[in-house]
Amino acid sequence: MIKKICRPFWSYDVQKTEKWLSSMAENGYFLIKINRVTRCFFFQQGEPMKLTYRIGFDKMQGESLSRGLMAEGWTKVLRTGNWFVTSNEKAPEQIKTSSVREGIVKHNRIIMYIFGSIVFYFSIMAVFFLSIFGLILFSADSQAEVVESPYWMFTYLYFGVIIAIFILGLYSVVKISRTNKKLLNEKINKDELFSKTQGKGKLSKAEERNLKHSGQLVIKRKLGWMYAPDMLEQWLEKMEEQGYNLYRVSRAGTTFHFFVGHPRKVSYCADYQNIADESYFDIHRDAGWKSVFHSYGSLQKWSIWSREYFDEDRPQIYSDKTNQLKHARKIAIAYTCLFLPLIMAYLFNLGLGLEMINHHKLDKLQIFSMVIMLIAVLSFGSYSIRTWMYYRRLTKQVG
């Protein structure tokens, strides 16, 4: 007997799908096929048994598994495209080796960036048209008139499709972002990845407050440091030389907590990565670097690394000057592409507002909106300029 079940978003949370497949096996239904187009799973009925499933994504995966996986008890259930499913009769806590998640994480990020771009585009267009509509609607001589038309149904259908795509995109970005964090945490030890205590053990909020009141814990804030990461590195290293030892960084990455300790030499590196896979963290940790901050956002993938040194020269993650320039250029281009559409949209609306001012058609609320848009243009513009100034500083150093 063949059973068919559709799960449209199964690849958005493979861990949940794996648990579902295990529960199906316990009920006597064993996976035999996945249709990637219809998103349907096909099961063959048999004797119930406990199985641990593992889903992988790898373009280079062959028909057979590696010797290490087979020695651990894994068997390949099926392969469809770049996706493959393996099963194991052992309990999850008894399994020491399984297929890596890096392929799924990269695949999910591509989908997330596609949907993220769609959401960003629709959001910009919505702000753009709402701003124009607001300026026209609230102008002094504005008169709105609703015209009956037999084509309103197509207009409603069009906007319905747009809203549905926007909701799907927003759901995809949020869901995949959460899933990728869980997948990465399978490999990366969270305590090690977010090592903020420099050997002192994590403190409770009450202990932090007491240390702060006694002057043993100092809190500093740095807003917008990602637009000039070299200045953040210099500031952190200077704080260490003055005896302020970095304890932890807030989740937002803007608040830095320091213990009042002893002067030491610590090299810091603020690194931006579009896609930071598992090997990225392994390479830096193996080289002696400690991660003191890792951003949670989908658009900004920042990490701050530290490494204490003594008599040797200051260590650097990117010792090659060419790589440093490429890294700085990537940051400048990324933020320019992020802020430029917003700047252009706000400038267009400001132009419409100035035209209405010339004809005395703006009220106080509209003027206030224009001031807010002007502040936004100046802020986003300064962020982009600071990233290119950072690139120019490195260019001068290399030259």
Side-chain angles (χ1 to χ4, degrees):
M1 178 181 176
I2 303 298
K3 186 172 185 177
K4 174 182 174 182
I5 301 177
C6 291
R7 292 175 69 92
F9 302 103
W10 68 266
S11 60
Y12 284 10
D13 193 342
V14 293
Q15 292 171 319
K16 184 177 180 180
T17 303
E18 290 167 351
K19 293 179 180 178
W20 172 68
L21 291 175
S22 297
S23 66
M24 291 294 291
E26 290 184 9
N27 293 325
Y29 292 95
F30 302 94
L31 180 67
I32 58 173
K33 179 183 175 182
I34 299 177
N35 190 315
R36 290 182 296 129
V37 177
T38 62
R39 316 294 286 179
C40 291
F41 289 72
F42 296 84
F43 298 88
Q44 178 73 52
Q45 191 173 16
E47 292 295 326
M49 65 182 300
K50 291 186 177 181
L51 287 177
T52 299
Y53 282 91
R54 182 84 168 190
I55 299 174
F57 185 94
D58 190 352
K59 296 179 180 180
M60 305 302 294
Q61 176 67 36
E63 293 300 326
S64 60
L65 297 175
S66 64
R67 293 182 179 179
L69 291 177
M70 289 190 293
E72 190 65 31
W74 291 101
T75 58
K76 180 172 285 189
V77 176
L78 60 85
R79 178 181 178 85
T80 173
N82 296 324
W83 291 95
F84 63 95
V85 181
T86 58
S87 65
N88 200 320
E89 295 184 6
K90 295 181 181 179
E93 59 272 11
Q94 297 176 338
I95 300 173
K96 298 179 181 179
T97 305
S98 57
S99 55
V100 297
R101 300 294 201 180
E102 185 174 334
I104 298 178
V105 172
K106 289 183 177 180
H107 174 74
N108 282 352
R109 278 179 177 152
I110 293 173
I111 297 175
M112 184 174 65
Y113 291 149
I114 292 174
F115 279 112
S117 300
I118 294 174
V119 171
F120 180 75
Y121 173 78
F122 284 164
S123 300
I124 294 298
M125 289 298 100
V127 172
F128 179 74
F129 286 112
L130 288 175
S131 300
I132 296 177
F133 180 75
L135 288 173
I136 296 175
L137 182 64
F138 293 105
S139 60
D141 299 332
S142 174
Q143 291 183 354
E145 181 180 356
V146 178
V147 179
E148 293 292 337
S149 172
Y151 301 106
W152 275 112
M153 180 182 67
F154 296 102
T155 303
Y156 295 144
L157 181 62
Y158 171 78
F159 282 106
V161 171
I162 294 297
I163 293 173
I165 295 175
F166 180 84
I167 294 174
L168 174 62
L170 191 61
Y171 170 80
S172 300
V173 170
V174 174
K175 185 66 175 180
I176 293 176
S177 178
R178 292 176 179 175
T179 297
N180 277 3
K181 289 175 185 177
K182 293 191 294 182
L183 292 175
L184 289 173
N185 284 339
E186 286 183 350
K187 176 106 181 330
I188 300 171
N189 188 316
K190 209 168 187 179
D191 292 332
E192 182 180 357
L193 177 62
F194 301 103
S195 176
K196 308 178 182 74
T197 61
Q198 304 292 342
K200 291 183 174 60
K202 190 172 182 179
L203 303 175
S204 65
K205 294 295 183 181
E207 291 173 326
E208 285 189 13
R209 284 195 297 268
N210 293 334
L211 289 173
K212 181 182 176 182
H213 292 323
S214 64
Q216 300 179 57
L217 186 66
V218 177
I219 297 177
K220 301 286 185 178
R221 289 177 174 81
K222 281 284 184 179
L223 302 177
W225 58 262
M226 62 286 300
Y227 310 120
D230 57 333
M231 293 186 176
L232 175 77
E233 296 168 358
Q234 296 172 10
W235 175 70
L236 289 173
E237 292 173 7
K238 190 172 293 184
M239 292 291 289
E240 293 284 356
E241 292 175 358
Q242 295 173 358
Y244 296 96
N245 308 141
L246 183 62
Y247 158 58
R248 72 178 183 90
V249 184
S250 65
R251 290 171 64 91
T254 56
T255 306
F256 296 78
H257 298 71
F258 299 88
F259 280 122
V260 179
H262 58 277
R264 58 181 185 174
K265 294 182 179 180
V266 179
S267 177
Y268 283 93
C269 176
D271 191 24
Y272 176 87
Q273 293 288 325
N274 291 329
I275 299 179
D277 53 34
E278 298 173 6
S279 60
Y280 167 80
F281 297 99
D282 291 335
I283 291 171
H284 293 327
R285 287 201 301 269
D286 293 343
W289 291 87
K290 294 181 179 179
S291 177
V292 296
F293 170 74
H294 183 69
S295 62
Y296 290 85
S298 301
L299 295 177
Q300 301 185 90
K301 296 292 182 181
W302 280 98
S303 299
I304 300 178
W305 298 89
S306 70
R307 180 178 172 183
E308 188 174 4
Y309 64 101
F310 300 94
D311 297 329
E312 69 272 19
D313 295 334
R314 176 181 176 272
Q316 298 182 33
I317 286 183
Y318 301 104
S319 56
D320 187 354
K321 298 299 182 182
T322 303
N323 287 335
Q324 289 183 350
L325 279 179
K326 289 181 179 179
H327 180 257
R329 188 169 179 268
K330 179 174 66 175
I331 294 173
I333 292 175
Y335 282 109
T336 300
C337 292
L338 177 64
F339 294 131
L340 188 58
L342 293 172
I343 294 173
M344 293 178 64
Y346 284 132
L347 284 176
F348 182 83
N349 290 335
L350 284 172
L352 292 178
L354 291 175
E355 184 69 22
M356 290 184 176
I357 288 178
N358 293 333
H359 294 84
H360 306 287
K361 294 182 178 180
L362 287 182
D363 56 22
K364 293 182 180 180
L365 179 60
Q366 292 169 320
I367 294 175
F368 176 75
S369 299
M370 289 185 61
V371 172
I372 297 299
M373 286 190 286
L374 178 61
I375 294 175
V377 168
L378 294 176
S379 299
F380 295 144
S382 67
Y383 298 156
S384 299
I385 292 173
R386 288 177 64 187
T387 58
W388 287 106
M389 290 176 63
Y390 163 57
Y391 175 70
R392 185 179 180 184
R393 287 195 298 270
L394 288 190
T395 304
K396 290 182 178 180
Q397 292 178 10
V398 173

